Amino acid sequence: MLLIGMLAAFAAYFIIGSGSQGDIDLAKKVLSTAICVVLFTAALLSFIQAKTGPSLEIVEELTEQHFEQMAALEAQYYGADCITPPAEAYRWYKRYPATTIAAAIGGQVVAFVNLFPVKESIYTALREGKFNDHTLTLDGLADPFDGSDEPLHMFLCCVLTEPAYRRLGLTRHLLALAVEQYEPVQQRCRRIITDNVTPAGAEFSRRYGFEQVQLSGHDSLIFEQDYADFVAHVSGTQQAEPTER
């Protein structure tokens, strides 16, 4: 539309200003006025489209379809043998809603974070490189709000943001929301672990203060740190740059 408007403006300029009877001064006035009108109209249409089009939002209630979308996002970066089946991940969420925070545009997930405590046996197996969260079931998760004083072993299972949205601070925002949910039990959260199957994931862990402890049996890199230090990186009291798992 902008191109058509500009072409029409210049066409009017040449018609009015050309020939022996042409009025070049009038042609210039018409051209400048037409350009202003075209640019204003284009800006107005863009504003209206931005207001009426789908916007980026945190999904308040996730569905199984959302988890299928998350799995599809993961499949762009690593194989199915490293992806928790969507139906199982949805079971985690239904039992423990804090496990997943996601952002979507028009109902399509573009970024998400999985953060939750796992049972000590699962955490130990992860740290030893002997466990793939592809096989993690609801039984392996721990209830963070059971009212006990037992330590919580946190697992940052997945962090993924579509490339187009990584420079918006979306990753850090989702991490902050995920961490916020565990504030009431933060004193119980001792250590946190990541299982990184891509170079970008390993770089994310390093930038957020994790230290490599193991090469897993499924060729991923295991990183770990104190949970309090991780929270400090997320909150910005320690420097970090977000990427994805």
Side-chain angles (χ1 to χ4, degrees):
M1 181 177 291
L2 177 62
L3 178 60
I4 293 174
M6 295 298 286
L7 289 174
F10 279 101
Y13 170 80
F14 284 112
I15 291 172
I16 296 172
S18 61
S20 58
Q21 301 298 319
D23 187 334
I24 192 66
D25 291 332
L26 177 60
K28 289 179 179 178
K29 292 179 180 179
V30 170
L31 177 62
S32 61
T33 301
I35 290 176
C36 289
V37 170
V38 170
L39 292 177
F40 175 80
T41 302
L44 179 61
L45 290 174
S46 296
F47 175 78
I48 293 173
Q49 183 177 10
K51 286 293 186 181
T52 60
S55 58
L56 183 67
E57 61 182 2
I58 303 301
V59 183
E60 292 187 5
E61 185 172 352
L62 295 167
T63 66
E64 189 165 356
Q65 183 180 9
H66 287 127
F67 283 88
E68 291 170 355
Q69 294 172 6
M70 294 177 215
L73 287 178
E74 291 184 86
Q76 298 179 33
Y77 301 96
Y78 37 83
D81 58 333
C82 293
I83 300 173
T84 303
E88 185 60 39
Y90 183 57
R91 287 185 66 211
W92 302 350
Y93 174 76
K94 292 298 289 184
R95 178 64 180 84
Y96 305 115
T99 57
T100 308
I101 298 290
I105 291 183
Q108 180 67 42
V109 173
V110 297
F112 67 96
V113 168
N114 297 127
L115 174 65
F116 48 84
V118 293
K119 292 181 177 178
E120 185 175 4
S121 59
I122 298 294
Y123 190 94
T124 299
L126 280 167
R127 196 180 193 284
E128 293 176 349
K130 299 177 180 179
F131 188 84
N132 184 340
D133 61 84
H134 169 71
T135 63
L136 180 61
T137 66
L138 178 62
D139 292 338
L141 276 60
D143 185 352
F145 306 111
D146 60 1
S148 75
D149 294 325
E150 294 297 315
L152 292 173
H153 310 280
M154 303 300 291
F155 181 27
L156 183 56
C157 181
C158 190
V159 179
L160 199 154
T161 300
E162 287 264 50
Y165 304 98
R166 290 177 189 169
R167 295 186 179 276
L168 301 178
L170 181 57
T171 302
R172 185 187 292 276
H173 180 58
L174 291 179
L175 287 169
L177 291 176
V179 164
E180 182 181 343
Q181 296 182 102
Y182 297 102
E183 283 184 358
V185 294
Q186 184 171 326
Q187 72 280 1
R188 293 174 55 197
C189 302
R190 305 299 171 77
R191 301 283 282 174
I192 182 170
I193 199 166
T194 62
D195 183 358
N196 306 269
V197 297
T198 67
E203 180 61 20
F204 163 87
S205 288
R206 293 187 184 96
R207 290 179 177 180
Y208 271 90
F210 289 89
E211 295 183 358
Q212 183 179 335
V213 296
Q214 190 68 258
L215 174 65
S216 78
H218 50 282
D219 296 323
S220 62
L221 295 176
I222 308 300
F223 286 76
E224 186 185 38
Q225 68 172 316
D226 286 339
Y227 184 78
D229 291 338
F230 171 67
V231 172
H233 278 90
V234 171
S235 66
T237 56
Q238 296 189 41
Q239 188 65 35
E241 290 291 337
T243 55
E244 93 281 356
R245 176 182 175 183

